[in-house]
Amino acid sequence: MPQLDLRLPTSTDEVSNTTKQAATWLDANWQSWVAGGLRIIFIVVLALVLRMVVRKLITQLIERMTKPSENEADLGRLGELLANSGVVNTERRQQRSQAIGSVLRSVASFTILGTAALMVLSALGVNLAPLLASAGVAGVAIGFGARNLVTDFLSGVFMIMEDQYGVGDEIDTGVATGTVLEVGLRVTKLRGTNGEIWYIRNGEVKRIANMSQGWSTASVDVQVGYKEDLAQVEELIHRIAEQLGKETPYDELIWGRAKVLGVESVAADSVVLRVEARTTPGKATLVSRTLRQRLKTAFDEAGVKLKEEPAPAVAVPAVDAAAPSALADPGSPRSEAAKPIPAQQAE
């Protein structure tokens, strides 16, 4: 390929020769320029179109995930109870789906645009080998230094995808217990029982106990006197629990019928019965306290004793007598020793 002479022409012949060389060089390279430019434009347009299509598919997938099914719409009041309990929570599912969609869209955009940028550099004639090698070394160094950050991020992604907990849930992470205020890909924010705020890295959480999903159990230990009729006491407990389950708002908080599991412990003056009822998540304490109050009132009206009264003490009359003395017996050795020595008569 002819090369251009960059010297300034000093004569007419040199000007003519330089013009011819320039025209020849342009004629020989304009096709490669056009082809390279079209290739770059094609790569950019294809990347943008592919990114738009992928993001649209992800958005449609998220909308389908957040759309309630016909069976959930026909559940009626039961569906509302399940939604409040976290079993079928449309709002929570929508938040989780949006978080997953945001992560997927970001990953798709980074992958597509990053690949397109490398292809454009290759089309421009840039040697990508040193660039890729440097990027690989830098990636290893950053990954080694920020391994905790990567662990937190991956744990947050899987936590959101698996719906381990969400905003408003009461959880126990082992290091802290409280209500979830904010869920992030790196940090989870909790409000503790004393009002403190905990910032917990997702990668540091080894176990999670969620007290706001599914259902809870209200457990009450009922103490009655040892001589009480346990069959009548159980019948009274069932009646009070059934009445409580028909009142507002406990008709939505108590799921099913309370069960008397049996005798929990036996003492000399009392017997303890264990009562359990399935409740809405997070409402077990409220139901337990109310049930104890209702049972106490019912026991007072029915005359059920909580503890056997001790038997009255029998008064023993006191005997006013002095303690016996060893000198009371004249024949005892001590009495003999205490007698005076008789006087000897003079001859």
Side-chain angles (χ1 to χ4, degrees), residues 98-240:
Q98 289 177 354
I100 297 174
S102 177
V103 174
L104 292 178
R105 282 190 289 267
S106 299
V107 172
S109 298
F110 178 79
T111 303
I112 295 174
L113 296 181
T115 304
L118 293 177
M119 295 177 66
V120 169
L121 292 178
S122 177
L124 292 176
V126 178
N127 188 8
L128 298 180
L131 180 62
L132 295 177
S134 301
V137 174
V140 172
I142 295 175
F144 182 78
R147 58 186 183 277
N148 291 333
L149 181 62
V150 176
T151 302
D152 297 339
F153 180 82
L154 294 178
S155 299
V157 171
F158 284 106
M159 179 270 299
I160 294 175
M161 295 180 63
E162 296 172 359
D163 191 23
Q164 298 178 7
Y165 54 85
V167 176
D169 288 351
E170 184 179 356
I171 64 173
D172 180 5
T173 62
V175 296
T177 302
T179 304
V180 180
L181 297 180
E182 182 179 343
V183 178
L185 293 178
R186 191 182 70 87
V187 175
T188 297
K189 184 189 297 185
L190 298 182
R191 172 74 69 179
T193 55
N194 296 324
E196 69 277 11
I197 296 180
W198 295 87
Y199 294 89
I200 303 174
R201 290 168 45 196
N202 295 329
E204 295 296 327
V205 178
K206 304 301 180 182
R207 64 168 180 83
I208 298 174
N210 194 328
M211 283 80 77
S212 299
Q213 286 185 354
W215 44 268
S216 299
T217 301
S219 180
V220 177
D221 289 337
V222 181
Q223 177 180 331
V224 297
Y226 185 84
K227 297 181 180 180
E228 297 293 336
D229 188 349
L230 297 184
Q232 295 181 358
V233 172
E234 291 184 7
E235 183 179 357
L236 179 61
I237 293 174
H238 283 301
R239 179 165 58 85
I240 297 303

Side-chain angles (χ1 to χ4, degrees), residues 52 55 59 73 84 232 245 253 271 288 319:
M52 181 180 63
R55 290 175 65 91
T59 302
N84 294 331
Q232 295 181 358
L253 301 182
V271 177
S288 299
V319 179

Side-chain angles (χ1 to χ4, degrees), residues 20-338:
K20 292 179 180 180
Q21 291 178 1
T24 304
W25 184 77
L26 291 175
D27 184 63
N29 292 278
W30 74 270
Q31 295 181 353
S32 61
W33 291 352
V34 173
L38 292 177
R39 183 180 179 184
I40 293 175
I41 294 175
F42 176 76
I43 292 173
V44 173
V45 172
L46 180 61
L48 294 178
V49 172
L50 182 61
R51 175 176 176 268
M52 181 180 63
V53 172
V54 171
R55 290 175 65 91
K56 187 175 182 179
L57 292 176
I58 294 174
T59 302
Q60 292 179 354
L61 177 63
I62 297 305
E63 291 178 353
R64 182 175 299 180
M65 292 175 59
T66 56
K67 182 179 180 180
S69 62
E70 296 180 358
N71 295 331
E72 295 178 9
D74 296 338
L75 287 177
R77 186 174 183 180
L78 178 60
E80 296 178 359
L81 294 178
L82 294 177
N84 294 331
S85 65
V87 178
V88 182
N89 195 329
T90 306
E91 181 179 359
R92 175 174 179 155
R93 183 172 54 189
Q94 182 178 2
Q95 294 177 355
R96 185 175 73 254
S97 301
Q98 289 177 354
I100 297 174
S102 177
V103 174
L104 292 178
R105 282 190 289 267
S106 299
V107 172
S109 298
F110 178 79
T111 303
I112 295 174
L113 296 181
T115 304
L118 293 177
M119 295 177 66
V120 169
L121 292 178
S122 177
L124 292 176
V126 178
N127 188 8
L128 298 180
L131 180 62
L132 295 177
S134 301
V137 174
V140 172
I142 295 175
F144 182 78
R147 58 186 183 277
N148 291 333
L149 181 62
V150 176
T151 302
D152 297 339
F153 180 82
L154 294 178
S155 299
V157 171
F158 284 106
M159 179 270 299
I160 294 175
M161 295 180 63
E162 296 172 359
D163 191 23
Q164 298 178 7
Y165 54 85
V167 176
D169 288 351
E170 184 179 356
I171 64 173
D172 180 5
T173 62
V175 296
T177 302
T179 304
V180 180
L181 297 180
E182 182 179 343
V183 178
L185 293 178
R186 191 182 70 87
V187 175
T188 297
K189 184 189 297 185
L190 298 182
R191 172 74 69 179
T193 55
N194 296 324
E196 69 277 11
I197 296 180
W198 295 87
Y199 294 89
I200 303 174
R201 290 168 45 196
N202 295 329
E204 295 296 327
V205 178
K206 304 301 180 182
R207 64 168 180 83
I208 298 174
N210 194 328
M211 283 80 77
S212 299
Q213 286 185 354
W215 44 268
S216 299
T217 301
S219 180
V220 177
D221 289 337
V222 181
Q223 177 180 331
V224 297
Y226 185 84
K227 297 181 180 180
E228 297 293 336
D229 188 349
L230 297 184
Q232 295 181 358
V233 172
E234 291 184 7
E235 183 179 357
L236 179 61
I237 293 174
H238 283 301
R239 179 165 58 85
I240 297 303
E242 186 176 356
Q243 292 177 357
L244 180 63
K246 295 180 180 179
E247 299 178 4
T248 305
Y250 301 100
D251 55 345
E252 296 183 356
L253 301 182
I254 300 177
W255 295 4
R257 187 179 181 185
K259 299 179 181 179
V260 180
L261 302 183
V263 178
E264 185 70 17
S265 63
V266 178
D269 55 357
S270 63
V271 177
V272 178
L273 302 176
R274 174 65 58 86
V275 182
E276 288 187 355
R278 186 170 294 186
T279 67
T280 301
K283 301 299 181 181
T285 303
L286 175 61
V287 174
S288 299
R289 292 173 178 174
T290 306
L291 184 58
R292 291 190 189 97
Q293 180 181 1
R294 299 294 179 88
L295 289 176
K296 195 270 180 186
T297 304
F299 286 173
D300 292 342
E301 295 177 354
V304 178
K305 298 180 180 179
L306 302 182
K307 192 175 183 181
E308 294 294 336
E309 297 179 358
V314 179
V316 179
V319 179
D320 188 8
S325 175
L327 301 178
D329 185 7
S332 64
R334 295 187 63 181
S335 296
E336 293 293 337

